[in-house]
């Protein structure tokens, strides 16, 4: 049962990342930056992503997101900025 909960937690972390990546790829025409890191093991999982660039209307943006889940719980943090 514990392994099932861990797999579900990791899936909950990774799914938004995959969906968000598809939207990001088609959202902008200007320069962009993206860095992502994902990991999972028997103790839980984590995902981290940083993106920045310009929207089609020329506004700059930056966003970094970190999510992790383990045997004792889950946590997430997002910081962003746009002009």
């Amino acid at each position: 049962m514990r392994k099932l909960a861990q797999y579900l937690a990791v899936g909950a972390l990774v799914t938004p990342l995959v969906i968000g990546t598809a939207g990001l790829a088609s959202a902008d025409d200007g320069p962009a930056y993206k860095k992502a890191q994902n990991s999972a093991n028997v103790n839980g999982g984590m995902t981290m992503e940083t993106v920045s660039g310009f929207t089609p209307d020329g506004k700059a943006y930056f966003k970094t997101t970190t999510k992790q889940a383990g045997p004792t719980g889950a946590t997430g943090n997002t910081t962003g900025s746009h002009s």
Side-chain angles (χ1 to χ4, degrees):
M1 185 67 162
R2 185 173 172 194
K3 284 198 180 276
L4 176 62
Q6 289 174 348
Y7 290 128
L8 290 174
V10 171
L13 292 171
V14 174
T15 301
L17 179 65
V18 171
I19 293 170
T21 302
L24 177 67
S26 63
D28 59 353
D29 297 324
Y33 170 82
K34 178 178 178 181
K35 178 181 178 184
Q37 178 180 350
N38 304 297
S39 66
N41 61 34
V42 296
N43 295 316
M46 66 83 60
T47 182
M48 181 277 303
E49 180 181 55
T50 299
V51 295
S52 66
F54 294 90
T55 63
D57 59 354
K59 295 182 180 180
Y61 65 89
F62 168 84
K63 183 177 178 182
T64 184
T65 303
T66 304
K67 298 177 184 177
Q68 60 186 21
T72 59
T75 185
N77 183 21
T78 299
T79 302
S81 176
H82 65 86
S83 63

